[in-house]
Amino acid sequence: MPAFEGLLPQKHDKIVQVLLFRLCKWHALAKLRLHTETSLKLLGQSLRQPSDQIRKFQSCTCVAFQTVELPNEAAQRQRREVAELQSGQRTKPSRSGPQCKTFNINTYKFHALGDYVGTIRMFGTTDSYTTQVVSVYPLRHLYYIADIHMKRRVNLLIESSRGFMGNQTRKTWSASSLHRSGGIQSSGGSAKP
């Protein structure tokens, strides 16, 4: 991990280097595209080492350094507090300036690391599924495209039958009105006025 080497004092640098190496090892095993029982067993075992190292990082390295909010985080928090004071949701403001921030392992991200092996056994490798919410937009987009193609088809049918109509006024229909009136048949039929 040359990019991180020497950034911290020697004692803390060693803790960070070991932590990064163990997390990279775990991550490489978790992202495999093909798992066997042996690789899943290795993945489960490789989680213990980063877990111990993360606790060591929290209890030794994080305590040695005082960390505070970034300026934009402090400004955003203050704007939110002013809005809450004006709306009456808050009665007194908190102290101004950047507040202390500590490393917190009591989050879902850390908790979920232990579920990887079971999840891979149940659903397959992590590249074969997604937890992303499916949008309705693509379905609407497909309906829009189908409607455009249907209108073009109807206009072509009308243009081709124009020779039979003579010089009469040309009438166009939307695809939805033709479907309602039964003017378009699903087997590639024709338009009826």
Side-chain angles (χ1 to χ4, degrees):
M1 310 292 160
F4 295 93
E5 195 173 352
L7 291 178
L8 300 171
Q10 182 63 32
K11 176 185 173 186
H12 304 296
D13 190 51
K14 183 166 176 55
I15 293 172
V16 170
Q17 293 290 326
V18 171
L19 175 62
L20 288 173
F21 176 78
R22 289 182 176 168
L23 285 173
C24 285
K25 179 182 172 184
W26 178 86
H27 187 260
L29 286 168
K31 292 295 181 180
L32 285 175
R33 291 181 177 215
L34 178 67
H35 277 285
T36 62
E37 281 302 315
T38 306
S39 67
L40 288 174
K41 186 176 179 181
L42 279 172
L43 178 61
Q45 291 170 352
S46 71
L47 182 59
R48 283 191 210 121
Q49 294 172 339
S51 299
D52 295 340
Q53 197 67 23
I54 287 171
R55 286 189 200 93
K56 187 175 182 182
F57 173 75
Q58 182 185 27
S59 64
C60 184
T61 304
C62 292
V63 173
F65 299 96
Q66 182 182 5
T67 53
V68 294
E69 292 175 317
L70 294 171
N72 61 346
E73 291 173 329
Q76 183 180 10
R77 180 181 46 78
Q78 289 171 351
R79 283 192 302 269
R80 189 173 52 247
E81 287 175 357
V82 166
E84 288 174 357
L85 282 170
Q86 290 174 349
S87 68
Q89 293 176 345
R90 185 182 284 248
T91 56
K92 64 176 187 169
S94 64
R95 72 174 188 82
S96 62
Q99 292 185 347
C100 289
K101 299 292 269 186
T102 57
F103 182 66
N104 182 14
I105 62 171
N106 295 324
T107 63
Y108 179 73
K109 286 182 182 181
F110 285 106
H111 176 76
L113 293 179
D115 296 332
Y116 265 71
V117 174
T119 303
I120 290 171
R121 276 197 179 103
M122 189 179 301
F123 297 110
T125 57
T126 55
D127 66 331
S128 63
Y129 62 90
T130 181
T131 57
Q132 184 178 10
V133 177
V134 179
S135 172
V136 180
Y137 172 74
L139 189 58
R140 284 186 297 178
H141 185 65
L142 289 175
Y143 286 139
Y144 176 72
I145 290 173
D147 191 42
I148 288 174
H149 287 297
M150 188 60 70
K151 286 178 184 175
R152 285 183 186 160
R153 184 173 175 198
V154 168
N155 285 336
L156 284 174
L157 289 171
I158 292 171
E159 288 293 328
S160 65
S161 65
R162 190 172 182 193
F164 297 110
M165 297 167 120
N167 289 334
Q168 295 176 355
T169 308
R170 189 174 133 211
K171 194 172 187 182
T172 59
W173 299 273
S174 71
S176 58
S177 67
L178 287 171
H179 275 293
R180 282 192 298 262
S181 67
I184 293 182
Q185 298 167 0
S186 60
S187 62
S190 61
K192 294 188 266 183

